[in-house]
Amino acid sequence: MLRRLIRPARRLPLWLIFTITAPFLFEIILHLWRYSVPRPASELDSPFFTTCQEPDVSAKRENAVLVMLARNHELEKANKTMTSIEQHFNKWFNYPILFLNDEQWSPRFIDVLNKTARGLATFEVVPQEQWTFPEEVDVDAAKQNIKEQGEKGIPHAGEEGYHHMCRFYSGKFYKLDILKKYRWYWRLEPDVDFTCAITYDPFVQMARHKKVYGFTIALWEVGKSCPSLFRHMADWKEMMRIPSNGLWKAMVSPSWIPFPLRQFMRWLPYRDAHGDEWNLCHYWSNFEIADMDFFRTRAYQDLFDYLDKKGGFYFERWGDAAVHSLAVAMLVDPRKVHHFEDFGYRHDHLYQCPANAPGGQLPDSPLLGSGTWATEMDNGIGCRCECDGRITSNHPGYCLNRLKQPTSIKRPWYARIL
């Protein structure tokens, strides 16, 4: 039976097969080309420094603050982070530190952390109206859905407070009265290790180089947590007629299915209205050094309000990392995004560890003092890193390479086909 069906096809002349398939093949090639990211002529986002610097303790500071959202029971983990950032950075630069909580702080937490922060800390409670369900959301339905998400095993999706946190960091955070006086912020999390000395002021360098957003780690989002997020963000982008820049293209895996069949792919998760797919790459936002004026812009706030009305912060588990990343890709010139590849950073089980710069550790520096650090290596860029620079990270490099395409001439071989 099968042979009978195949036999007529064999009799078709090659020119006819080519004539039928050529337009579809050409359309696919053209579509893929539209999403290609041009290789820049030179590196557009090099490290600010590639050796230790003598900390300039008298230089003018930027209008910036270190921010940590924590709870009273996280005292030990929060203190671990503060001890690390003090030892590796803030003992020289003395930036203020803001601790945020959705409930009243315990006196012990305040006492311990204020001592670690040398009196530079402020402790605030997030206003209840910024840590709750929006008016448009059916609270009972949302709570039931959160319970079901947890039963499905989606990370943190069964925790109501986690949903509030993601919504808060996605859009309400930058409107806090306590933060209105600041332009820059450095986001910290409990249970973080900084493993290299940070001997220059990253806020000053971000401002000097006209950067908007800085990160350390890029990886895949948990797809089950946000199946409709990309569709809504792409819809808003199209509605606002925002052109696609290189970073947005780097976040998209264009469909290989020809038009008009491609349109049917729109019903799948992580797809836009045309059937193209978000590759789930995003910046891991537990580390961010960013210009809050970007998040305060009318464009970003309108985008957040649009997303907020969709209910996905509760009926799915839209994360602030994915929201920030897609918004930055949509609204920011890729040249204004900076990878702090010279920072040693660990949170949870993931880390980034640069190798130490050869001959650049300033062993006689009076401010840096004496100490021990890992072996210096050729092409290293780190400053007194304590971690093993032979293993620069313990997570796949696909997303980092992908998101650096608009600003880097270095590309792995698979970048041409994926």
Side-chain angles (χ1 to χ4, degrees):
M1 180 67 179
L2 183 59
R3 290 180 178 178
R4 290 180 182 178
L5 294 174
I6 295 175
R7 193 175 296 131
R10 288 178 177 172
R11 296 173 183 169
L12 290 175
L14 289 177
W15 67 265
L16 181 59
I17 296 173
F18 179 77
T19 301
I20 294 172
T21 59
F24 293 101
L25 292 173
F26 178 75
E27 195 280 335
I28 291 172
I29 293 170
L30 183 62
H31 182 69
L32 296 176
W33 175 79
R34 288 195 186 105
Y35 278 93
S36 64
V37 181
R39 189 192 300 265
S42 61
E43 291 293 327
L44 302 178
D45 182 45
S46 299
F48 294 138
F49 295 98
T50 55
T51 61
C52 291
Q53 304 297 301
E54 193 69 35
D56 191 345
V57 296
S58 62
K60 182 181 178 181
R61 303 288 183 256
E62 285 294 323
N63 183 19
V65 61
L66 312 184
V67 180
M68 183 191 296
L69 180 65
R71 289 193 167 95
N72 292 313
H73 70 268
E74 295 178 300
L75 188 153
E76 289 186 9
K77 292 182 177 180
N79 198 45
K80 178 180 182 179
T81 300
M82 286 312 305
T83 300
S84 186
I85 196 71
E86 276 290 315
Q87 290 177 347
H88 294 91
F89 170 72
N90 215 35
K91 66 181 179 182
W92 301 304
F93 296 96
N94 297 307
Y95 275 102
I97 301 141
L98 174 63
F99 288 94
L100 295 172
N101 194 346
D102 65 311
E103 55 189 27
Q104 291 297 323
W105 290 105
S106 71
R108 184 164 181 267
F109 191 105
I110 293 175
D111 181 59
V112 172
L113 270 297
N114 216 14
K115 286 179 180 176
T116 305
R118 298 175 293 114
L120 296 173
T122 302
F123 300 83
E124 292 286 333
V125 176
V126 178
Q128 181 60 39
E129 63 271 16
Q130 296 195 24
W131 194 272
T132 189
F133 297 94
E135 294 180 0
E136 297 84 0
V137 167
D138 182 326
V139 175
D140 292 335
K143 288 186 175 183
Q144 177 60 32
N145 196 278
I146 289 170
K147 179 182 177 183
E148 293 171 1
Q149 291 177 54
E151 292 169 351
K152 292 177 182 177
I154 302 171
H156 303 293
E159 306 165 22
E160 180 181 317
Y162 196 87
H163 289 260
H164 290 321
M165 182 273 290
C166 290
R167 177 175 179 258
F168 172 70
Y169 265 133
S170 292
K172 300 296 182 181
F173 170 70
Y174 317 99
K175 295 182 177 181
L176 287 178
D177 288 339
I178 190 68
L179 284 173
K180 287 181 178 177
K181 60 185 176 182
Y182 297 110
R183 176 178 175 183
W184 298 90
Y185 91 109
W186 182 339
R187 177 171 166 178
L188 303 172
E189 293 283 329
D191 188 26
V192 161
D193 287 313
F194 290 93
T195 54
C196 302
I198 302 168
T199 56
Y200 63 88
D201 188 331
F203 299 115
V204 168
Q205 296 304 318
M206 289 281 283
R208 182 172 297 162
H209 291 86
K210 296 180 172 57
K211 302 289 185 177
V212 168
Y213 188 87
F215 71 99
T216 53
I217 293 174
L219 68 167
W220 287 291
E221 176 61 292
V222 178
K224 294 185 295 184
S225 68
C226 54
S228 71
L229 174 62
F230 181 66
R231 174 62 182 273
H232 290 304
M233 295 196 76
D235 284 350
W236 186 86
K237 173 179 175 290
E238 195 164 317
M239 208 164 42
M240 297 295 108
R241 299 182 179 179
I242 298 172
S244 296
N245 63 24
L247 188 50
W248 181 266
K249 292 177 181 179
M251 287 198 171
V252 176
S253 294
S255 174
W256 289 64
I257 296 177
F259 181 86
L261 299 179
R262 187 186 310 126
Q263 301 279 36
F264 293 104
M265 303 298 288
R266 70 169 74 180
W267 305 111
L268 297 177
Y270 337 121
R271 303 274 177 164
D272 63 18
H274 307 286
D276 295 306
E277 183 181 25
W278 172 33
N279 54 30
L280 297 178
C281 290
H282 73 303
Y283 306 118
W284 211 28
S285 65
N286 47 69
F287 175 102
E288 288 181 328
I289 296 180
D291 184 347
M292 286 189 285
D293 284 352
F294 162 68
F295 294 107
R296 293 164 177 152
T297 60
R298 177 66 180 273
Y300 183 86
Q301 287 299 316
D302 283 352
L303 171 60
F304 170 75
D305 290 341
Y306 176 83
L307 295 176
D308 206 23
K309 290 180 173 66
K310 299 298 179 181
F313 289 109
Y314 296 97
F315 291 98
E316 295 179 15
R317 200 227 69 194
W318 292 355
D320 56 278
V323 172
H324 285 188
S325 301
L326 288 167
V328 166
M330 185 193 307
L331 299 170
V332 174
D333 184 327
R335 292 171 295 183
K336 295 185 177 182
V337 178
H338 181 65
H339 178 210
F340 284 99
E341 57 185 299
D342 56 317
F343 282 21
Y345 179 79
R346 181 213 59 83
H347 178 56
D348 200 2
H349 64 284
L350 300 180
Y351 65 79
Q352 170 180 278
C353 173
N356 280 320
Q361 304 305 304
L362 300 184
D364 300 322
S365 166
L367 281 177
L368 300 186
S370 60
T372 58
W373 49 85
T375 305
E376 299 171 21
M377 299 174 62
D378 289 341
N379 301 315
I381 59 174
C383 175
R384 298 195 175 194
C385 299
E386 302 140 13
C387 52
D388 186 353
R390 292 173 298 178
I391 307 172
T392 57
S393 66
N394 66 341
H395 52 280
Y398 173 82
C399 282
L400 180 62
N401 290 321
R402 184 83 179 184
L403 299 187
K404 292 184 72 169
Q405 279 188 357
T407 57
S408 178
I409 60 175
K410 304 171 187 174
R411 296 188 181 181
W413 64 269
Y414 56 76
R416 297 182 180 181
I417 57 176
L418 295 176

